[in-house]
Amino acid sequence: MTAESVLCRKTLPSIEDHLLAPEWCDPRIGIVHLGIGNFHRAHEAIYTEEAMLAAGGDWAICGVTLQGDVTKRDALMAQDGLYSVVERGPQGVKTSVIRALREVLALPHDRARLFDLLADPYVRIVSLTVTEKGYCRDTKTGDVDRGHPGIAHDLEHPGEPGTVLGILVAALKTRRDAGIAPFTVLSCDNLSHNGAALRQVVCSHARVLDEALATWIDSEVAFPSTMVDRIVPATTDADRDAAAVALGLRDEVPVPCEPFRQWVIEDRFPAGRPAWEQVGAQLVDDVMPFELAKLRMLNGTHSTLAYLSVLAGFATIDEAISFAPLHALIHSMMTDEIAPTLSVPASFDLMAYRDALLERYANPALKHRCAQIAMDGSQKIPPRLLATIAARLERGQPISRLALGVAAWFVFLRGRADDGTSFVISDPLASRLTALATNVGNVGDTRNAPQGLVDALLGCRDVFSAELASNEMFRHALIEAVTQLKTGARAAIENTNLQVAGIDPASGQNL
Ligand code: CS2
């Protein structure tokens, strides 16, 4: 590969048509972002570049990868932090080159540079996309999970942290001790009340080390909540080839995404922020209505689609939603079981939101893999489906479609699709959950397979609260759904549609 053929500062003049604007002021770093994955690069980084183009400001980003792997860092730094975002929609493809990412670091290799930046008064925001598991939370209390190996290390070696909690606490301690104003901590993950959740877990980690520091963080540091939304699949070789054709240059780390994007942010930034509101972000007092609507309507149906599809053999979301019975199930799940649990401003039309989501799912250009969405179910299912189920059970309302989503996850945990093909479960609790899911029916286990599977997995307190696990209506709905899934996911989908329409699947008669 010749030097001229790679995307970098030197070759930038040849692709000016793909820049968001010709001018660029080469801003200083003002944001450190933990978790430099595809989502951040197609979301916050673009909003931030557009905000700087609209209103200036030194808000360039230093991205940090925490996994110990230097591949992402080296690939991005070889391109001077430049990369392309490839928006794929029904109207075609748009390839834009983003310049907001100034530097990329990889822990533990670059820890010294990271802490220099975190102590720099110019760094006024530390944002995160580390996925649910990156918060190292005790799911029962919301405090730090002291049994987490990364947390145990960081408590033993607070000066050499590897978890986001250890990093944030050490960096805030440095700023407090040096009399430097704290940065704002901005969670951009799919967690309910993500700002408050992050504050709680950071303070609980700090409290183990230094009570006074925890008190200072709790009173002096802003943790605004956000709702983030953009469907951003993992990068494939096809994306790299498409970017090369569009740019005439190799980009080893392009990011594919849908055209849609949304960012709703609680406006609490004592140290300032980019002019995100000038480029489409919504700055509000209360993010909750938007956050719950997105977590339950989008992410809840995304996970339901993912597990039913992996069992049924649909590889991508657009393929899955084109199966008419599944489209009908997701449509009615949003309409009849999820939307009624939401309270949103009068201007927020939930049925229009539902229809827009179904359109987004049907995007044939994106190829969002169901297997990617199916990862980390133990972290995703509680905020995406169980919270909605608990709200419905409280009112004695039916949950058959929501229960089918959870039941599909249970069957998925056995690692075998309806056609017999096997797959590996990617989840922080994979070994425990797959053992529970596959040990059912052993000699002496007199329970029937559905009941055995349901009771075994409901016993996992890291996922199901004792209260929810003991709810007979929930348990019965799960056993019913797992029983349906024994005939295959496609049949279970069709039968559930019939049942909720008041028709007995066996006889075709009205129930
Ligand atoms: C998806 C989300 O992979 C997943 O779990 O449900 O990444 C989803 O694409 C985004 O939240 C959409 O905003």
Side-chain angles (χ1 to χ4, degrees), residues 463-475:
V463 179
F464 299 96
S465 68
E467 183 186 4
L468 188 57
S470 61
N471 183 296
E472 260 315 302
M473 186 174 161
F474 181 42
R475 177 173 175 272

Side-chain angles (χ1 to χ4, degrees), residues 245-473:
V245 168
L247 301 177
L249 298 169
R250 279 303 289 180
D251 172 2
E252 291 309 317
V253 278
V255 184
C257 66
E258 65 173 335
F260 176 90
R261 70 186 197 185
Q262 187 178 11
W263 198 9
V264 184
I265 312 167
E266 204 173 356
D267 199 1
R268 267 188 313 116
F269 293 80
R273 59 170 175 76
W276 287 318
E277 78 287 351
Q278 292 191 29
V279 292
Q282 297 156 263
L283 277 293
V284 298
D285 295 335
D286 181 9
V287 174
M288 273 323 299
F290 301 92
E291 190 177 85
L292 274 191
K294 193 262 179 170
L295 208 45
R296 295 184 179 183
M297 294 274 277
L298 188 157
N299 294 115
T301 56
H302 238 195
S303 291
T304 300
L305 277 164
Y307 297 118
L308 287 170
S309 299
V310 169
L311 297 175
F314 302 127
T316 58
I317 290 292
D318 62 292
E319 186 187 353
I321 207 74
S322 68
F323 177 53
L326 187 48
H327 186 284
L329 180 97
I330 297 299
H331 183 282
S332 70
M333 182 178 178
M334 286 195 268
T335 309
D336 303 328
E337 293 189 6
I338 300 175
T341 69
L342 298 169
S343 57
V344 293
S347 59
F348 190 149
D349 179 343
L350 283 172
M351 296 304 102
Y353 187 64
R354 170 204 63 200
D355 296 342
L357 284 176
L358 290 167
E359 282 294 310
R360 289 169 64 190
Y361 292 166
N363 180 352
L366 214 47
K367 301 302 170 214
H368 196 185
R369 288 174 47 251
C370 297
Q372 177 187 344
I373 299 167
M375 292 165 66
D376 299 343
S378 67
Q379 316 292 309
K380 295 178 178 179
I381 293 279
R384 296 178 176 205
L385 290 171
L386 300 188
T388 314
I389 287 170
R392 302 274 299 167
L393 292 172
E394 217 171 277
R395 300 178 183 85
Q397 294 166 337
I399 56 167
S400 45
R401 285 149 289 201
L402 290 157
L404 182 62
V406 179
W409 179 53
F410 282 5
V411 176
F412 165 87
L413 286 171
R414 288 179 157 167
R416 193 169 295 282
D418 292 344
D419 67 2
T421 50
S422 60
F423 47 83
V424 175
I425 306 298
S426 176
D427 189 298
L429 304 182
S431 53
R432 189 164 11 135
L433 292 170
T434 52
L436 288 171
T438 49
N439 290 345
V440 173
N442 279 351
V443 176
D445 183 343
T446 56
R447 297 170 299 184
N448 65 47
Q451 180 194 326
L453 179 64
V454 167
D455 289 341
L457 289 166
L458 281 180
C460 180
R461 285 289 159 275
D462 284 315
V463 179
F464 299 96
S465 68
E467 183 186 4
L468 188 57
S470 61
N471 183 296
E472 260 315 302
M473 186 174 161

Side-chain angles (χ1 to χ4, degrees), residues 32-215:
V32 168
H33 184 81
L34 306 179
I36 186 72
N38 275 10
F39 182 81
H40 167 76
R41 294 195 289 138
H43 188 267
E44 179 184 338
I46 296 179
Y47 275 103
T48 301
E49 174 157 338
E50 290 178 354
M52 286 192 276
L53 288 169
D58 283 308
W59 296 107
I61 297 167
C62 170
V64 186
T65 171
L66 305 162
Q67 311 304 327
D69 172 9
V70 297
T71 313
K72 177 72 74 69
R73 174 198 67 182
D74 293 351
L76 280 163
M77 290 309 278
Q79 298 181 179
D80 301 316
L82 299 169
Y83 63 91
S84 55
V85 171
V86 186
E87 286 182 24
R88 299 181 185 288
Q91 280 72 37
V93 178
K94 179 184 166 200
T95 303
S96 309
V97 171
I98 303 304
R99 295 165 291 188
L101 186 63
R102 272 296 291 273
E103 187 174 355
V104 181
L105 304 176
L107 279 194
H109 317 275
D110 306 316
R111 183 178 286 118
R113 170 61 180 159
L114 171 62
F115 277 89
D116 284 347
L117 277 171
L118 292 173
D120 179 348
Y122 242 92
V123 170
R124 288 147 286 161
I125 296 174
V126 174
S127 50
L128 296 77
T129 46
V130 291
T131 76
E132 298 86 340
K133 61 178 179 279
Y135 288 68
C136 307
R137 290 198 307 168
D138 175 329
T139 50
K140 295 181 276 303
T141 65
D143 285 345
V144 64
D145 173 7
R146 295 185 61 175
H148 187 289
I151 293 298
H153 169 273
D154 288 0
L155 290 175
E156 275 299 302
H157 312 279
E160 298 167 6
T163 67
V164 293
L165 305 187
I167 291 165
L168 290 171
V169 168
L172 288 166
K173 179 179 187 309
T174 301
R175 288 179 79 127
R176 178 201 63 173
D177 296 352
I180 301 169
F183 42 73
T184 296
V185 181
L186 183 66
S187 170
C188 294
D189 280 299
N190 288 320
L191 287 182
S192 180
H193 299 83
N194 54 12
L198 184 52
R199 170 195 295 278
Q200 179 183 344
V201 73
V202 166
C203 290
S204 72
H205 182 76
R207 196 165 298 113
V208 178
L209 294 165
D210 175 342
E211 181 76 38
L213 176 60
T215 304

Side-chain angles (χ1 to χ4, degrees), residues 10-26:
K10 186 162 165 271
T11 56
L12 209 49
S14 69
I15 47 105
E16 281 207 343
D17 295 350
H18 294 277
L19 298 174
L20 300 184
E23 71 274 8
W24 188 240
C25 54
D26 224 2

